[in-house]
Amino acid sequence: AQKITQTQPGMFVQEKEAVTLDCTYDTSDPSYGLFWYKQPSSGEMIFLIYQGSYDQQNATEGRYSLNFQKARKSANLVISASQLGDSAMYFCAMRELIKAAGNKLTFGGGTRVLVKP
Amino acid sequence: DTGVSQNPRHKITKRGQNVTFRCDPISEHNRLYWYRQTLGQGPEFLTYFQNEAQLEKSRLLSDRFSAERPKGSFSTLEIQRTEQGDSAMYLCASSLRFGSSGVSTDTQYFGPGTRLTVL
């Protein structure tokens, strides 16, 4: 079964507008972490933001914020005031801390964002 | 502070040849990971090390694949008898299990990847 689902394969967003990227996850582990990474065309995965399953508040990091809805098992990324440099693939990932052995990240299929001037 | 580096960035080889990739993690990081990413997909976990110990291997890591981290610093990933299905981006990441404050951070920071093409 898919553990991380990103239902939007691609999105266009107008420069300076906000965009929400969807991510739903599936786990029975009570302790887990959720990550978002950006992958520009150069290929490097750039860490954006982290949310722990026990964190009471939604994570924020500059123009990035995470809309964490634990009961719905969703962890949507919001990018505010989009810039042309935000054009990239965005991946949601999960680390299960108790039931899964090791420390691996499980990634979704990604969402391609294209910011229009 | 330098990030994770990987060499080579690109490798083209013929089917049946052996290839080796190198990853240098962020200097104080004690965990190192290898992932494989095929076109249009998210990365898939291959293996990870804590210091020099290889603690987990994915079923994706067939017996043609071997990874080492001999002194707990850099790591190598070798693929023997390459096949066309091995063509992919190979990503390395590193993390710090516990910082000096004793708090676990463990966020994985990725290198630029090695793109392998098997002809």
Side-chain angles (χ1 to χ4, degrees):
Chain A
Q2 278 281 69
K3 288 202 168 186
I4 298 285
T5 303
Q6 295 181 252
T7 57
Q8 306 149 311
M11 299 182 71
F12 286 101
V13 59
Q14 200 67 41
E15 192 179 9
K16 300 180 185 177
E17 300 279 307
V19 62
T20 298
L21 308 183
D22 295 341
C23 173
T24 57
Y25 58 92
D26 182 25
T27 182
S28 58
D29 198 320
S31 182
Y32 53 90
L34 297 157
F35 300 79
W36 277 91
Y37 286 85
K38 171 184 178 181
Q39 189 176 41
S41 55
S42 59
E44 184 169 352
M45 299 284 284
I46 302 168
F47 167 70
L48 297 178
I49 196 167
Y50 167 80
Q51 179 86 43
S53 58
Y54 292 118
D55 292 343
Q56 294 297 313
Q57 294 191 334
N58 287 343
T60 61
E61 196 70 51
R63 293 187 299 111
Y64 304 107
S65 60
L66 205 151
N67 183 3
F68 181 47
Q69 298 187 46
K70 193 170 181 178
R72 293 186 174 186
K73 294 189 174 178
S74 76
N76 299 340
L77 176 71
V78 180
I79 307 174
S80 62
S82 295
Q83 302 171 356
L84 296 178
D86 293 336
S87 294
M89 282 289 286
Y90 289 81
F91 290 97
C92 180
M94 176 174 64
R95 183 178 73 216
E96 296 166 291
L97 296 174
I98 297 177
K99 294 190 177 181
N103 194 43
K104 65 181 181 185
L105 290 176
T106 302
F107 285 84
T111 295
R112 182 171 297 282
V113 172
L114 186 60
V115 180
K116 299 187 291 183
Chain B
D1 182 27
T2 57
V4 178
S5 61
Q6 293 186 245
N7 287 288
R9 295 291 308 276
H10 303 273
K11 179 71 177 178
I12 300 174
T13 191
K14 293 182 179 179
R15 186 163 49 98
Q17 298 293 305
N18 299 344
V19 294
T20 300
F21 309 140
R22 176 176 169 130
C23 171
D24 288 90
I26 294 171
S27 59
E28 68 270 23
H29 284 187
N30 49 12
R31 287 184 163 180
L32 186 147
Y33 313 78
W34 286 99
Y35 291 82
R36 182 172 68 187
Q37 184 179 24
T38 52
L39 207 59
Q41 305 293 320
E44 294 175 295
F45 171 79
L46 292 178
T47 188
Y48 101 97
F49 294 83
Q50 179 157 312
N51 299 312
E52 65 275 10
Q54 189 173 16
L55 296 186
E56 187 182 0
K57 292 196 292 185
S58 163
R59 287 172 292 177
L60 292 174
L61 212 66
S62 75
D63 56 6
R64 296 186 298 107
F65 288 70
S66 62
E68 293 183 344
R69 194 183 183 198
K71 296 183 179 179
S73 57
F74 72 91
S75 175
T76 57
L77 177 68
E78 182 183 17
I79 309 174
Q80 297 183 327
R81 304 181 304 281
T82 52
E83 301 172 355
Q84 287 183 324
D86 297 331
S87 296
M89 175 79 90
Y90 290 84
L91 294 164
C92 176
S94 70
S95 71
L96 178 63
R97 178 65 180 99
F98 285 104
S100 57
S101 64
V103 174
S104 174
T105 54
D106 233 358
T107 296
Q108 295 180 29
Y109 295 91
F110 284 78
T114 295
R115 183 168 296 282
L116 173 66
T117 302
V118 182
L119 302 175

